[in-house]
Amino acid sequence: MSTKLSIEQPAEKNVSPIEKIKKESHGLRGSIVKSLADEITGAISEDDQAVIKFHGMYQQDDRDQREERACKKLDRLYSFMIRLRLPGGFLSPQQWIATHDIAGKNSTGVIKITSRQTIQLHGLIKSKIKPTIQAFNDAKLDSIATCGDINRNVLCSSHPKQSPFHKEVFAYADKISELLMPKTKAYYEIWLDNEKLIDKKEEEDPLYQDRYLPRKFKIAIAIPPNNDVDVFANDIGLIAIVENNKLLGFNIAVGGGLSTTHGNNNTYARLATIIGFSDTEEKTLKAIYEIVTIQRDYGNRSDRKLARLKYTLDKFGVDWFKQELETRTGFNLDEAKPYQFTSRTDYFGWLADDSGLWHYTMFVENGRITDDENAKLKSALLEVAKTGKANFRFTCNQNVILSDIKLEDQKLIESILEHFGIIQSNESASALRRNSMACVALNTCPLALAEGQRYMPHLISKIEPLLKKYSLEKEEIIIRMTGCPNGCARPYVAEIGLVGTSYGHYNLHFGGDRVGERLNKIYKENLDEGSILFELDGWLGRYNSERKPGETFGDFAVREIKLN
């Protein structure tokens, strides 16, 4: 019989400044309205910069122009990024048309698919925020809770081909998103001009209270055998268990998270730990809700670098966490069910699902939807949307699926893709390029130390000749890059990871596996491009000549490093 591990909730003292801002924000209202009315600057007040994240936005500035503008004694060129809430990454064709138009009118025009299965727009000036949100609302879209110390966009395996039960599993993303939505009406008051609440009891929030979470919170749902969502990189990971043509329920994993801080050994990447199995929707949702409340009550509110669920789990232990969860839910999780991941990929090209509908997955390099010299991707997607014959699904690898297409409409969609050069562009992309990801980084991310999406395509072009040199062009090697150690493009679970340390320099990581069940490790630090290519040249050469049959690059690297 297990012994109850009793731990008192930590006293709230020496909390970080953000904690005070949240509690005094009047339900995430802050002084946003006043900040928006200030025409002297394109920025908003410092406190409001924290509050507005909960509304789905970050304040940014063009870092390419910082120095020049400072020399001219000009304010920074401030703008805002807005991110949509799209559980499972789904848009109707009408919603895509609206997004296309909004991006063209109010932002840089580029539509960015994120690594969390949603889209975001960059370059909104302050006066364009409210019209943008109102236009999204007209299309039945919102940006609530996509940033900030709250549950973020819920991920789910994206391709309907994945399983006959995809629709049933996919529905959980929306259910979880609604379950964990904040109760405050601030978003509707500020941006949509709804009447202000007279009775504040209407927005009392038993989940988030007035302090919300210590840090951001991420949830993903995977359908084996494909771990396309990197399920173990999330605070909560649900693994769908299907047996005998029935969805039995979910294995529940907790405590994943990849963000680290250079030079701070107390921070680390961690993969989630499976703590049990839930066999009903009621139990699954209850368990998710109470896992969030445990993190709310026990998470670190003094040091934001140590505030994710992974640190709470490691501080108090998995046994204590399970007992606390069982106390709060009133039931025990069952023993985890067996499963197997065999891949972590998107299904490129045309594929049909069990219902006979067709889906076309296209590669979108680093998730940037725009028109360029290679292909008119943005124009093509608009024309597809205008037909009304395809939905849009976004993947966690920053790609897009034209989805739910009837057989009789397939040729029409394909003709549009061919006309704008999409099929040709997709077929010409190398395996390495299609398995690459990079975060936004410079010039807009305030945390970036090095380039990300602007540099990654050029680096890939220099790695491709090395692959050809060693006859490795068809190897599905997973490579990812971030401009800082926060890990937005999940470099720590790549076979080859590049993490920015300073402009033009990256830590080189090796050894993630092909299915997302193993972290990689730093091989060498602070390398410039020449050093990166030198190291990869040597490693790819050895991989070609010394690997075992069927051995992936990540597995080979782990074996070689251990031997040496």
Side-chain angles (χ1 to χ4, degrees):
M1 184 175 179
S2 62
T3 303
K4 174 65 177 175
L5 303 174
S6 179
I7 298 175
E8 292 185 3
Q9 293 182 21
E12 290 192 15
K13 57 183 179 179
N14 300 321
V15 297
S16 69
I18 298 296
E19 293 301 316
K20 185 173 183 288
I21 292 170
K22 287 186 288 188
K23 292 195 76 168
E24 296 179 357
S25 69
H26 306 291
L28 302 180
R29 291 168 176 83
S31 58
I32 291 175
V33 172
K34 182 179 178 181
S35 283
L36 292 172
D38 182 359
E39 297 181 356
I40 296 175
T41 175
I44 58 177
S45 75
E46 188 173 349
D47 284 4
D48 287 336
Q49 290 173 38
V51 177
I52 205 170
K53 292 178 183 178
F54 291 81
H55 298 244
M57 285 160 276
Y58 282 93
Q59 178 178 293
Q60 302 178 330
D61 74 282
D62 187 342
R63 293 178 60 180
D64 289 346
Q65 298 192 42
R66 271 188 188 179
E67 186 175 346
E68 180 183 352
R69 293 181 69 86
C71 289
K72 294 179 180 179
K73 302 188 184 305
L74 295 173
D75 202 5
R76 290 181 177 180
L77 189 58
Y78 290 110
S79 65
F80 292 80
M81 178 274 283
I82 186 168
R83 181 182 295 154
L84 291 181
R85 182 172 65 97
L86 302 177
F90 179 91
L91 279 182
S92 70
Q94 295 77 22
Q95 289 173 323
W96 180 262
I97 293 170
T99 299
H100 179 281
D101 292 344
I102 293 165
K105 291 176 183 176
N106 297 345
S107 76
T108 63
V110 176
I111 301 172
K112 169 74 175 181
I113 307 172
T114 79
S115 58
R116 290 204 64 78
Q117 212 171 23
T118 184
I119 55 177
Q120 61 192 38
L121 305 180
H122 290 259
L124 278 76
I125 60 174
K126 190 164 66 173
S127 63
K128 291 290 187 180
I129 299 175
K130 191 167 183 176
T132 296
I133 291 179
Q134 291 180 339
F136 275 132
N137 184 69
D138 290 341
K140 296 181 171 56
L141 295 169
D142 66 65
S143 61
I144 303 169
T146 54
C147 313
D149 300 342
I150 205 162
N151 177 60
R152 303 285 186 90
N153 198 53
V154 181
L155 311 184
C156 183
S157 290
S158 53
H159 205 299
K161 169 205 173 291
Q162 185 69 40
S163 167
F165 298 95
H166 179 269
K167 186 175 182 179
E168 185 178 351
V169 175
F170 191 84
Y172 274 86
D174 193 59
K175 292 171 185 175
I176 294 167
S177 182
E178 289 300 314
L179 176 71
L180 304 181
M181 282 282 285
K183 303 301 183 188
T184 174
K185 303 302 180 184
Y187 181 92
Y188 305 97
E189 288 178 13
I190 295 171
W191 309 111
L192 304 178
D193 296 326
N194 284 17
E195 290 185 12
K196 293 183 179 181
L197 284 178
I198 298 174
D199 184 0
K200 293 299 182 182
K201 289 183 179 180
E202 291 183 38
E203 62 175 16
E204 286 183 355
D205 198 330
L207 175 60
Y208 294 117
Q209 301 171 354
D210 63 352
R211 50 187 176 152
Y212 298 89
L213 297 179
R215 202 67 171 82
K216 59 187 174 184
F217 200 92
K218 298 180 177 181
I219 300 175
I221 311 168
I223 306 175
N226 189 12
N227 185 20
D228 58 330
V229 298
D230 270 323
V231 69
F232 296 109
N234 292 266
D235 295 273
I236 298 177
L238 301 180
I239 303 167
I241 304 299
V242 177
E243 290 182 8
N244 300 320
N245 205 31
K246 181 182 178 183
L247 176 65
L248 298 184
F250 298 91
N251 284 346
I252 299 177
V254 297
L258 301 183
S259 178
T260 70
T261 301
H262 288 317
N264 185 344
N265 293 330
N266 292 324
T267 66
Y268 49 83
R270 186 189 194 280
L271 296 182
T273 301
I274 295 176
I275 59 171
F277 171 80
S278 173
D279 63 352
T280 68
E281 178 180 316
E282 181 182 6
K283 285 184 177 180
T284 300
L285 295 179
K286 179 65 173 174
I288 290 169
Y289 186 93
E290 296 301 350
I291 289 168
V292 175
T293 68
I294 294 172
Q295 171 63 356
R296 177 199 66 201
D297 295 340
Y298 287 93
N300 189 325
R301 293 183 182 269
S302 298
D303 187 345
R304 289 180 62 79
K305 295 184 186 302
L306 303 176
R308 291 289 295 278
L309 178 62
K310 60 184 175 180
Y311 299 113
T312 308
L313 189 68
D314 285 345
K315 178 180 179 180
F316 296 114
V318 174
D319 289 342
W320 171 84
F321 192 94
K322 288 182 67 175
Q323 288 186 5
E324 184 67 20
L325 180 60
E326 290 164 1
T327 297
R328 294 187 182 213
T329 60
F331 60 83
N332 295 349
L333 294 175
D334 296 331
E335 185 176 344
K337 300 286 187 183
Y339 68 93
Q340 185 179 19
F341 287 123
T342 59
S343 63
R344 180 174 41 151
T345 188
D346 289 343
Y347 304 111
F348 293 103
W350 285 108
L351 286 171
D353 63 26
D354 291 270
S355 68
L357 293 176
W358 286 83
H359 314 270
Y360 184 84
T361 303
M362 64 182 69
F363 169 60
V364 183
E365 191 157 26
N366 302 318
R368 298 186 77 251
I369 295 179
T370 186
D371 290 346
D372 61 28
E373 64 277 6
N374 297 317
K376 306 297 182 183
L377 178 56
K378 189 178 177 187
S379 296
L381 294 182
L382 178 61
E383 290 305 309
V384 169
K386 286 179 178 178
T387 70
K389 298 182 183 300
N391 291 316
F392 291 69
R393 298 179 188 267
F394 307 107
T395 81
C396 296
N397 294 311
Q398 300 178 310
N399 298 313
V400 63
I401 306 170
L402 299 178
S403 189
D404 312 302
I405 300 166
K406 295 178 181 178
L407 178 61
E408 58 265 32
D409 298 324
Q410 186 182 4
K411 285 187 178 180
L412 171 62
I413 301 302
E414 185 160 15
S415 68
I416 294 171
L417 298 179
E418 286 181 342
H419 175 75
F420 287 98
I422 305 307
I423 291 178
Q424 301 91 316
S425 176
N426 274 263
E427 291 177 349
S428 65
S430 68
L432 184 75
R433 194 175 295 272
R434 292 200 301 188
N435 282 295
S436 68
M437 277 207 299
C439 70
V440 173
L442 298 171
N443 60 325
T444 54
C445 178
L447 303 177
L449 305 171
E451 292 281 3
Q453 68 177 16
R454 296 197 299 192
Y455 171 57
M456 184 65 150
H458 302 288
L459 182 63
I460 294 289
S461 294
K462 294 185 177 182
I463 298 173
E464 285 169 335
L466 301 179
L467 293 166
K468 186 175 182 180
K469 176 180 176 181
Y470 298 114
S471 302
L472 297 172
E473 303 100 312
K474 295 184 179 180
E475 284 296 315
E476 300 282 345
I477 298 171
I478 297 173
I479 181 170
R480 295 172 179 173
M481 171 185 286
T482 55
C484 81
N486 285 297
C488 292
R490 303 190 294 278
Y492 305 113
V493 283
E495 293 179 273
I496 301 172
L498 294 156
V499 180
T501 56
S502 63
Y503 193 80
H505 293 80
Y506 301 83
N507 287 344
L508 178 60
H509 293 240
F510 283 147
D513 63 15
R514 195 59 61 87
V515 297
E517 294 181 323
R518 184 178 66 221
L519 293 170
N520 57 32
K521 294 182 180 180
I522 293 179
Y523 173 64
K524 287 195 176 179
E525 297 183 87
N526 208 33
L527 301 183
D528 61 13
E529 181 183 279
S531 299
I532 291 168
L533 294 173
F534 175 80
E535 292 294 341
L536 290 179
D537 191 357
W539 273 93
L540 291 172
R542 291 195 295 277
Y543 176 53
N544 178 54
S545 61
E546 300 173 17
R547 61 175 166 166
K548 297 178 179 179
E551 189 172 35
T552 65
F553 180 81
D555 289 347
F556 171 78
V558 168
R559 181 168 63 84
E560 280 291 291
I561 291 170
K562 285 182 178 178
L563 287 173
N564 296 326

